Amino acid sequence: MIFEMTVQVRVHDFTRGSNWYQTFLNRTPDFIPHDGFAEWEIIPGCWLQVAEGTPSEKSGPIRIGVSDIEGERERLVRILEIDKFKIHQREEVPVKWGTLSDPWGNLLGLFEYIDKKEEKQRINALLPTSNPHK
């Protein structure tokens, strides 16, 4: 039985990487078990780990669901000074999506449900009402 998941990205400079991901995720880590390692619980049971080390080549993207992809893109471009990434949409796909890279080459992505009713159903199914990250 699978009940939890972690995804790890590696960065050469942990202090800079941890700060970059704090800004990207718009919050501090949920767990820092030791030097060179931080974790954020993105949704219950799904963790993003940032570890000091050599980044993997050609992995990802790790895609994260957001409710306003254009607004989130503008925030990231402004605060993290990244290039403005393209947002894609296709008629047969129920989401809009875009891909960006962190300074270490790890591919990340954002997606937004086009149908807001479907988005709300997904949020309600995944997140308990007491989730502090809402």
Side-chain angles (χ1 to χ4, degrees):
M1 168 178 79
I2 297 172
F3 65 93
E4 201 165 20
M5 180 180 88
T6 64
V7 177
Q8 185 180 100
V9 295
R10 294 186 192 120
V11 297
H12 293 295
D13 178 340
F14 180 75
T15 300
R16 186 171 163 231
S18 178
N19 289 336
W20 195 92
Y21 275 90
Q22 284 183 56
T23 302
F24 177 71
L25 296 169
N26 209 20
R27 61 188 178 92
T28 59
D30 295 302
F31 185 51
I32 303 172
H34 55 78
D35 289 344
F37 198 89
E39 293 186 273
W40 288 261
E41 188 172 27
I42 305 301
I43 60 171
C46 180
W47 294 80
L48 175 63
Q49 303 172 330
V50 174
E52 189 167 35
T54 303
S56 300
E57 289 187 36
K58 301 197 188 273
S59 64
I62 299 168
R63 293 212 186 273
I64 298 172
V66 296
S67 59
D68 176 8
I69 194 169
E70 286 90 358
E72 195 61 20
R73 176 182 63 185
E74 295 310 312
R75 182 184 78 84
L76 296 173
V77 166
R78 184 182 72 252
I79 294 175
L80 292 175
E81 299 177 351
I82 62 171
D83 291 335
K84 189 171 186 174
F85 55 91
K86 185 174 181 179
I87 296 174
H88 304 276
Q89 185 173 349
R90 292 173 61 174
E91 187 176 325
E92 67 274 14
V93 179
V95 299
K96 298 186 275 188
W97 72 94
T99 304
L100 61 137
S101 176
D102 73 9
W104 302 272
N106 297 299
L107 292 179
L108 304 167
L110 303 176
F111 69 91
E112 173 189 348
Y113 279 92
I114 296 165
D115 180 340
K116 292 304 179 182
K117 184 177 177 183
E118 182 179 4
E119 178 181 279
K120 186 173 182 171
Q121 290 171 341
R122 293 294 299 149
I123 290 170
N124 289 338
L126 294 170
L127 299 177
T129 57
S130 62
N131 186 329
H133 305 304
K134 277 188 165 181

